[in-house]
Amino acid sequence: MGEPCKGEGRAYPGNPGGQNLHAIETTGPLHPIDGVVYTPPEQAAYYLNGGIWERQTLGDTLRSAAKNAPERIAFVCEGHRMSFGELDAKSERLARSLRALGLQVHDRAMFQMGTSIETVVALFGCFKAGVVPVCSIPQYRELEIGKLADLTSPKAYFVQADAGGRFDLVKFASAMSERHQIPHLIVAGGASDARGHALEGLCEGAGGQDVLDTSHEFGCEDVIAFQLSGGSTGVPKVIPRFHAEYQSHVRSWCARYDMQEGHVGIWALPILHNAGMMFAIVRTVLYRATTVLMPQWDVGRYFEAIERERVQHAFTIGPHAPAIASYPHVARHDLSSVRSLSTLMGAEAIERATGILSINMFGITEGLVLTGTAAASPAEVRHSSVGMPCSPYDEVRLLRPGTIEEVQIGAAGELCFRGPSTLRGYYAAPEINAVSFTPDGFFRTGDLMRAAVIDGQIVYRFEGRMKDNINRGGEKFGTEEIEHLIARHPAIADGKVVAMPDPIYGEKACAFLIPRDGHMLPSVEDLGQYLHAQGLAKFKLPERIEACDAFPTTRVGKLDRAHLRAMIAEKIAKESVH
């Protein structure tokens, strides 16, 4: 594993031309973890020596930021501000304390913490010590934590006392630690359990000011974190991310938006999500930037923070997008600092309501980001597609589901991709890995997309999950196209379309709609006329409307379409009885 790799001129993903790689070397991971699938040495050498991957650990990236901009504010949260110098010093002491507790390189640590500066410090302490965070969230309970603990065998458990709302997260973590024999419970923001350690105390301990030298223990090709798949049901699968590829992945994404050193961003979502790690953690240290953290979502305070901190880049997801688009007091705030707002859908409605240049995007923890360009992409790209790959080394194919046959431009196919940040395999899951990739290494996402050509550029339009299609009497269609058109309706803040049972056709489309402030929702007939006038085929028109104030979400904060389908199915079943 540690032997230098000499190139042989063979073609492979990332080196499609088979360039000769003589004299290109890579050490590989210094501390391999059983069950992790690593990038083949020749590919890793190409990525590293071509500048595609970053040649440093994330802990060293923070150290560099602290050395060059020690007084610059890295994070702002609830009135608390922390500079790069403070973050570097605290996390260094924590790393030493973790080693003093007996934690070793690539021991795992379960994380159930909120969006806070304490979480940031805890993460960087682990990164510097070589401890691998298992990026869980406060909403997980016995099922998820138990399965993840069984799979990853953590030696530490980081928990935040005030992140669970009324739920006693510390008591829960203590019980799970005992049940799964996790030796070290570390508590932030409250009195620790009798068998635990206060995070704040560990950040002050382990005397000495020298940098913890781990250069011989792990390097840029080693695992930095275990992220979790964003599936809507079941226990998430574990996704290893690596120091080198993670940082380069973030750089290619941020470059698309022309993010620069010192730019201020805002994050109001779980920081332990893959997107949170990329935008709020890695981006901050790579660009010596400032990130405003919001532990609790509140649309008014979101706009206040943008104005107060002069935010330049914002990010949101579906459940928050309607609140932003329908916020009635936009005119009260000076939003002139904002260069772009990225969202996982709903960009057109947000831009129309706020005047902020907004961009639809697509991201997946398995290693791909699609998006438009903040300054250069026309509205058609930013609003009616999810853009194109951020990295020129990412290869994208749309395959006919269940095959390796590529579909034509304009036809729906399963999104498959490979590249320098692509998952090589889920952790300790050979059976799942066997069906998750094409024979030539493209990861199968289970997402349907269509390719289109706009201004000579291939862009992608998200059609929905393959399992979320509606089959109306044999005519199958995705829902995202309908939802995009619904979002343009002047009376609708946002809408989601799901299948509802029908005795004749099997399934029909039902639209769950959130009205805009001060507006009445259209009737089924009026909405149908509007959508048909926009060019939507009649068989795709929603045949029922359900008004709602918000959409249900999964524990990882994504839209819970399964819950919407269950809601309408139950309602129809009750109606049929009467």
Side-chain angles (χ1 to χ4, degrees), residues 108-324:
R108 267 73 79 188
M110 187 72 68
F111 265 70
Q112 272 197 292
M113 299 184 71
T115 300
S116 68
I117 290 179
E118 290 79 11
T119 305
V120 175
V121 173
L123 286 170
F124 274 104
C126 287
F127 297 158
K128 289 180 174 182
V131 174
V132 177
V134 180
C135 296
S136 172
I137 52 175
Q139 290 87 346
Y140 280 174
R141 296 296 181 260
E142 288 88 349
L143 175 63
E144 295 92 349
I145 295 297
K147 292 292 186 181
L148 289 172
D150 289 342
L151 180 61
T152 63
S153 302
K155 296 295 190 295
Y157 197 146
F158 285 81
V159 65
Q160 189 169 335
D162 57 355
R166 296 180 180 179
F167 182 75
D168 191 335
L169 201 50
V170 176
K171 182 179 179 181
F172 169 77
S174 178
M176 295 300 288
S177 294
E178 290 187 15
R179 186 179 306 172
H180 294 277
Q181 299 181 334
I182 304 174
H184 302 291
L185 177 65
I186 300 170
V187 181
S192 69
D193 176 85
R195 61 184 294 275
H197 310 272
L199 176 66
E200 293 77 7
L202 294 178
C203 290
E204 300 301 325
Q209 300 298 318
D210 294 337
V211 171
L212 182 64
D213 182 12
T214 58
S215 59
H216 61 293
E217 296 180 289
F218 63 93
C220 67
E221 293 182 67
D222 281 282
V223 174
I224 185 175
F226 277 169
Q227 278 291 345
L228 307 180
S229 66
S232 59
T233 60
V235 177
K237 299 178 286 293
V238 174
I239 299 170
R241 300 301 304 252
F242 306 88
H243 290 266
E245 60 88 9
Y246 221 171
Q247 294 182 80
S248 295
H249 195 194
V250 171
R251 196 179 291 282
S252 64
W253 178 26
C254 293
R256 181 62 62 82
Y257 299 137
D258 192 29
M259 293 185 187
Q260 300 172 13
E261 181 170 337
H263 276 187
V264 181
I266 188 167
W267 188 259
L269 299 159
I271 202 171
L272 290 169
H273 280 179
N274 186 62
M277 191 76 77
M278 292 178 69
F279 184 89
I281 300 292
V282 182
R283 180 195 73 92
T284 301
V285 295
L286 270 181
Y287 288 84
R288 300 166 192 170
T290 300
T291 298
V292 182
L293 301 176
M294 286 187 62
Q296 300 294 329
W297 170 249
D298 179 273
V299 66
R301 295 181 63 231
Y302 183 76
F303 278 94
E304 289 169 2
I306 288 175
E307 179 178 16
R308 181 180 63 253
E309 303 295 338
R310 306 305 295 155
V311 167
Q312 285 137 319
H313 301 283
F315 185 97
T316 189
I317 60 173
H320 291 176
I324 295 172

Side-chain angles (χ1 to χ4, degrees), residues 349-369:
I350 290 174
E351 185 169 321
R352 179 179 62 197
T354 66
I356 297 172
L357 188 147
S358 301
I359 308 165
N360 283 333
M361 63 166 291
F362 171 91
I364 186 169
T365 310
E366 285 82 354
L368 179 71
V369 172

Side-chain angles (χ1 to χ4, degrees), residues 269-508:
L269 299 159
I271 202 171
L272 290 169
H273 280 179
N274 186 62
M277 191 76 77
M278 292 178 69
F279 184 89
I281 300 292
V282 182
R283 180 195 73 92
T284 301
V285 295
L286 270 181
Y287 288 84
R288 300 166 192 170
T290 300
T291 298
V292 182
L293 301 176
M294 286 187 62
Q296 300 294 329
W297 170 249
D298 179 273
V299 66
R301 295 181 63 231
Y302 183 76
F303 278 94
E304 289 169 2
I306 288 175
E307 179 178 16
R308 181 180 63 253
E309 303 295 338
R310 306 305 295 155
V311 167
Q312 285 137 319
H313 301 283
F315 185 97
T316 189
I317 60 173
H320 291 176
I324 295 172
S326 62
Y327 179 60
H329 307 303
V330 172
R332 296 180 183 177
H333 302 282
D334 177 5
L335 306 177
S336 59
S337 64
V338 184
R339 295 186 173 203
S340 65
L341 185 150
S342 304
T343 176
L344 295 185
M345 289 307 284
E348 183 175 17
I350 290 174
E351 185 169 321
R352 179 179 62 197
T354 66
I356 297 172
L357 188 147
S358 301
I359 308 165
N360 283 333
M361 63 166 291
F362 171 91
I364 186 169
T365 310
E366 285 82 354
L368 179 71
V369 172
L370 303 173
T371 189
T373 302
S377 292
E380 185 180 5
V381 172
R382 292 186 284 106
H383 297 163
S384 67
S385 81
V386 291
M388 65 289 291
C390 291
S391 171
Y393 298 93
D394 282 326
E395 302 173 79
V396 173
R397 291 179 183 170
L398 301 185
L399 304 182
R400 195 174 307 283
T403 76
I404 56 173
E405 176 189 351
E406 284 195 72
V407 301
Q408 299 295 315
I409 294 285
E414 181 186 9
L415 172 69
C416 302
F417 64 89
R418 68 181 180 185
S421 294
T422 301
L423 170 77
R424 308 295 169 177
Y426 294 106
Y427 172 65
E431 299 86 359
I432 297 174
N433 293 336
V435 297
S436 295
F437 299 86
T438 65
D440 51 353
F442 280 76
F443 175 74
R444 294 184 177 275
T445 66
D447 292 311
L448 281 176
M449 294 224 181
R450 294 179 192 268
V453 179
I454 301 177
D455 291 345
Q457 173 72 55
I458 294 179
V459 299
Y460 296 91
R461 290 177 170 145
F462 186 65
E463 292 284 311
R465 295 288 294 168
M466 284 162 54
K467 65 182 180 181
D468 289 333
N469 279 357
I470 296 173
N471 186 349
R472 188 184 188 278
E475 292 288 349
K476 299 178 182 179
F477 55 95
T479 61
E480 295 295 326
E481 175 189 26
I482 310 170
E483 292 168 357
H484 175 70
L485 295 175
I486 284 175
R488 295 180 175 179
H489 194 287
I492 299 171
D494 201 5
K496 302 299 176 187
V497 178
V498 298
M500 63 179 177
D502 183 83
I504 298 175
Y505 291 92
E507 293 178 346
K508 289 183 178 180

